[in-house]
Amino acid sequence: MRLLVLCGHAELTVSEIIQILGQSQPRVSRHLKLLCEAGLIDRFQEGSWVYYRLANKSGTSLLARYLVDLVPDSDPVVARDLERLNAIKQARSDAASSYFKENASRWNEIRSLQVEEKEVETLLLKAIEGKKVIDFLDIGTGTGRMLELFGPLVDYAIGIDSSREMLAYARTAIEEAELRNCQVRLGDMYTLPFANASQDVVIIHQVLHYADRPKAVIAEARRVLRPGGTLIVADFAPHHVESLRADHAHRQMGFDSVQVWDWCADAGLEKVDFQSLKGNPLTVNIWIAASREAVRVLGAAE
Ligand SMILES: C[S@@+](CC[C@H](N)C(=O)[O-])C[C@H]1O[C@@H](n2cnc3c(N)ncnc32)[C@H](O)[C@@H]1O
């Protein structure tokens, strides 16, 4: 009866039922088998997992439900079982919220298509060599990798991302790296939650290809740069890897170097450097631009 009640409240695996009942696996499995044979419980497979639930859509399913309803939830043994069931449900939902870790591993697939990350990162760091950086902004921080890389070299670093799940991941990463000068914040790349001319360096690393309006993202990055500030954009060169659009939600199939320089020029940024790291099939381009003067704000003093 305890098995019937549990399976009437949730779909459960044998190991979850064992945790709840505190009984041995052979005993639980034997009873589940009998209940399945009696048509009171359904067994179904989901990948390598087997779930049990109260029978439905069968001749005996009404009997099964009737039996479960006869047992009051206030019964002390059942009440304790249901409490443990709730704990299992909570653990499941915690596991679900860690889905962002899977996203992170999907990016690793992409990493394998491009040049060595280390090569890219060495060039990125060169962009701030010998510079005093007080405020560093990482647009689309994702797992917080750019914060980990630049954090130790700047006074303050902040990463923004539109995904709460990614922010949770990045937060853990910077805490583990003990980067107390780094933080993350929810934000959108089209409307950055920062004042004009408030950042010394802005980086957009492998994020622009998610943008419908990449030109607008560059203009917004420029808005928050201080005079003399640096914009670093790293993204793929034009490519034909369709799976990035189909499976990874990329909106842009890479960027032509001239196109990005045009957007920079329109935003009031000057060329500083360009590097291209040839990969197969993905080449990574790095554009480094500078804002020579504060963005002009109509009707307000900078
Ligand atoms: C490839 S991932 C992270 C790349 C990260 N900069 C790095 O270096 O590892 C791209 C990130 O951009 C974020 N993103 C996508 N659209 C965004 C938007 N409109 N505003 C802010 N972040 C965005 C995604 O949530 C994701 O975390």
Side-chain angles (χ1 to χ4, degrees):
M1 284 304 290
R2 287 168 74 188
L3 283 173
L4 275 186
V5 172
L6 283 175
C7 292
H9 278 83
E11 298 170 343
L12 294 163
T13 63
V14 174
S15 65
E16 288 171 334
I17 295 171
I18 291 167
Q19 279 181 57
I20 295 169
L21 299 182
Q23 298 191 6
S24 73
Q25 194 259 322
R27 185 182 163 100
V28 167
S29 293
R30 189 167 69 85
H31 283 261
L32 283 171
K33 189 165 178 278
L34 290 171
L35 289 166
C36 287
E37 282 169 6
L40 295 170
I41 280 182
D42 283 341
R43 176 188 190 278
F44 68 102
Q45 192 128 9
E46 208 175 71
S48 56
W49 295 57
V50 177
Y51 283 92
Y52 293 88
R53 67 176 167 209
L54 206 64
N56 70 344
K57 291 188 188 160
S58 75
T60 43
S61 57
L62 280 179
L63 174 63
R65 178 52 63 189
Y66 181 70
L67 289 172
V68 168
D69 288 345
L70 283 179
V71 181
D73 282 0
S74 59
D75 176 279
V77 175
V78 168
R80 202 192 52 201
D81 286 351
L82 293 179
E83 254 180 56
R84 289 182 185 164
L85 172 63
N86 281 340
I88 297 249
K89 284 184 176 169
Q90 182 60 47
R92 280 184 184 177
S93 99
D94 291 347
S97 77
S98 70
Y99 93 101
F100 55 84
K101 286 192 178 161
E102 285 164 32
N103 275 341
S105 67
R106 277 160 57 81
W107 292 335
N108 288 336
E109 284 169 35
I110 302 178
R111 286 191 173 118
S112 68
L113 300 173
Q114 65 175 61
V115 285
E116 276 296 312
E117 204 117 300
K118 223 172 170 22
E119 282 183 61
V120 177
E121 292 184 352
T122 304
L123 287 179
L124 295 178
L125 287 174
K126 278 216 166 92
I128 66 157
E129 219 167 50
K131 287 197 176 117
K132 166 83 180 147
V133 180
I134 299 172
D135 293 293
F136 175 91
L137 170 63
D138 179 23
I139 297 181
T141 195
T143 57
R145 176 63 198 147
M146 291 299 113
L147 295 177
E148 283 181 75
L149 188 68
F150 285 89
L153 306 169
V154 306
D155 288 358
Y156 304 99
I158 189 156
I160 67 118
D161 205 286
S162 55
S163 154
R164 284 181 201 279
E165 290 80 8
M166 291 317 308
L167 290 178
Y169 192 105
R171 199 169 275 124
T172 309
I174 58 180
E175 274 170 14
E176 279 177 6
E178 295 186 7
L179 289 167
R180 293 196 182 82
N181 62 331
C182 297
Q183 51 173 298
V184 290
R185 205 184 278 181
L186 193 68
D188 188 274
M189 59 185 166
Y190 294 104
T191 48
L192 296 171
F194 303 103
N196 295 339
S198 54
Q199 310 295 321
D200 298 303
V201 175
V202 176
I203 189 161
I204 311 173
H205 179 249
Q206 297 295 7
V207 179
L208 209 57
H209 52 242
Y210 289 108
D212 285 329
R213 293 175 291 126
K215 180 177 175 173
V217 175
I218 287 179
E220 180 63 353
R222 152 80 171 112
R223 179 186 69 78
V224 300
L225 272 179
R226 291 196 172 111
T230 304
L231 173 69
I232 308 168
V233 178
D235 218 298
F236 298 125
H239 64 82
H240 301 285
V241 184
E242 260 308 320
S243 63
L244 292 183
R245 187 153 54 189
D247 305 332
H248 295 273
H250 287 200
R251 308 303 297 254
Q252 311 287 336
M253 300 289 278
F255 298 95
D256 178 66
S257 64
V258 176
Q259 187 179 41
V260 173
W261 284 134
D262 285 349
W263 293 333
C264 285
D266 288 350
L269 291 158
E270 291 175 9
K271 279 187 199 181
V272 175
D273 196 12
F274 176 77
Q275 300 281 346
S276 194
L277 289 164
K278 296 251 175 296
N280 188 12
L282 295 171
T283 289
V284 174
N285 284 344
I286 300 171
W287 295 261
I288 297 167
S291 76
R292 295 286 174 228
E293 55 177 48
V295 70
R296 280 186 204 89
V297 182
L298 293 175
E302 279 283 322

